[in-house]
Amino acid sequence: MATAEPDVSGTPAADAVGDVLSPALRSLLATLRLRPRHAPGRQGIGHHASRNRGSGLEFSQYRAYESGDEPRQIDWKLYARSDRFFVREAERDSPVRAWVLLDTTASMTQADEAAPTRTRFDVARLLTTCVYEIAQRQGDACGLVLCGGAGVALVTPGTGPRQRDRLRHALAAVRPGGEWPEAKALAPAWGRIARGDLVVAIGDWFDDTAVEQLVQLANAGRDVTALQVLTADERDFPFRDGRRFVEQEAGESLLGDGPALRADYLARFETARRALAARFAAAGIRFATHVIDTPPATVLGALFGDRAP
């Protein structure tokens, strides 16, 4: 969607992607799972073939106890020495891998007029961190693909604290801008995403070229989930005066009267969203929408909770 002037295109400070998860959100993430629809095998314990954690497996690392962890995972000998709760994590190798495909085009810099310092990209970046934390907790390797005007950047899937640092660094360094890359630029990254890999694609998905790329990934045997991130202004169109609406990627603008445009805009926007949902469904892509003025818990639970499709 075009944004209404004044245009807010700044990006947050790099340290905004540090430890941004609240205790409540971390507790929720402990209950969620990334579930492939067609796991390549059933070895090991857990919800799917992955690097599973638990007793009797190869030790990986200690980490601080968090709400939602099972008490049996606590290392009580270490507690006796340190007076702090730590959890032992163990893992076993598995072919299952997860990727977050993040839209970093110019439209991701859009913000609501009521909250101009919170961009669509801020929220998409938080959701990316949440997906990685879910994968980390259940022992799955997780990688990152950034797609925007600067081209394509890739972080190879991995696990553990070093991988968390790699992902945080990549998210902190990226500056959204430009348009969705051409298919030729995407081909090397697409070749790294293997058949059966989980792909969680996070963006606004207004660009038909980007949507077609997701459909092609799904048709090629990748397990794709599309998470659309919308602004509240896109959902509500609250403008009550004359505006210049700016298409951020193409730079085109349109003068219009907010109240006069509202009914037609809302109808067209809903029609477009239903068409997008139908297109994804036809390709076997799971689809959900998140509006940036709402807590992320609802959409994360819908996609990755016990009742997730």
Side-chain angles (χ1 to χ4, degrees):
M1 175 194 164
T3 186
E5 294 284 10
D7 179 19
V8 179
S9 57
T11 54
D15 61 1
V17 294
D19 193 7
V20 296
L21 305 181
S22 68
L25 186 53
R26 284 189 177 277
S27 181
L28 170 71
L29 298 181
T31 70
L32 305 182
R33 299 289 182 272
L34 302 182
R35 295 182 177 88
R37 281 172 284 188
H38 304 290
R42 280 292 185 185
Q43 71 270 27
I45 11 181
H47 293 269
H48 58 276
S50 69
R51 300 182 69 179
N52 300 289
R53 293 169 180 171
S55 58
L57 303 179
E58 183 180 356
F59 174 73
S60 172
Q61 63 181 352
Y62 286 108
R63 64 169 170 81
Y65 175 85
E66 297 173 355
S67 177
D69 289 333
E70 297 182 19
R72 64 183 178 85
Q73 293 180 276
I74 296 174
D75 189 309
W76 295 104
K77 291 183 179 179
L78 185 58
Y79 168 73
R81 296 196 302 268
S82 65
D83 199 32
R84 295 179 61 191
F85 291 113
F86 288 93
V87 170
R88 287 179 59 92
E89 292 187 339
E91 60 189 26
R92 75 171 40 157
D93 292 331
S94 160
V96 173
R97 300 190 306 174
W99 298 82
V100 179
L101 194 162
L102 181 59
D103 180 354
T104 63
T105 59
S107 63
M108 296 299 287
T109 65
Q110 188 169 338
D112 290 318
E113 188 171 63
T117 61
R118 179 191 59 209
T119 69
R120 191 200 315 270
F121 186 69
D122 292 339
V123 176
R125 190 160 50 173
L126 172 62
L127 292 168
T128 297
T129 301
C130 288
V131 173
Y132 171 71
E133 289 295 329
I134 297 171
Q136 174 84 353
R137 281 178 172 272
Q138 67 187 43
D140 286 335
C142 186
L144 178 66
V145 182
L146 304 171
C147 299
V152 180
L154 184 145
V155 178
T156 302
T159 60
R162 289 186 179 180
Q163 181 69 0
R164 180 187 282 114
D165 291 342
R166 293 187 192 100
L167 294 175
R168 286 177 172 173
H169 177 75
L171 290 173
V174 67
R175 295 294 181 267
E179 300 181 347
W180 188 263
E182 296 181 356
K184 184 178 180 180
L186 290 167
W190 265 216
R192 298 287 298 276
I193 303 175
R195 185 177 183 87
D197 281 1
L198 305 178
V199 179
V200 180
I202 303 176
D204 56 37
W205 309 129
F206 294 140
D207 189 312
D208 189 67
T209 302
V211 172
E212 180 59 28
Q213 290 291 327
L214 296 188
V215 170
Q216 290 181 13
L217 275 177
N219 289 340
R222 281 61 175 175
D223 191 341
V224 181
T225 294
L227 175 48
Q228 184 182 45
V229 182
L230 300 177
T231 66
D233 287 351
E234 288 166 338
R235 177 193 62 198
D236 303 331
F237 203 79
F239 312 115
R240 299 181 180 180
D241 52 14
R243 292 292 175 116
R244 180 183 299 275
F245 298 93
V246 180
E247 208 294 311
Q248 291 178 299
E249 292 182 15
E252 299 174 355
S253 63
L254 172 69
L255 289 173
D257 179 69
L261 294 173
R262 187 172 189 271
D264 182 62
Y265 162 82
L266 291 176
R268 288 175 178 269
F269 192 67
E270 181 59 24
T271 298
R273 286 195 60 252
R274 289 184 179 183
L276 178 63
R279 189 174 180 185
F280 281 149
I285 296 174
R286 288 169 286 197
F287 176 60
T289 297
H290 176 68
V291 183
I292 65 176
D293 68 342
T294 61
T298 301
V299 71
L300 291 170
L303 287 174
F304 309 121
D306 289 337
R307 298 182 181 181

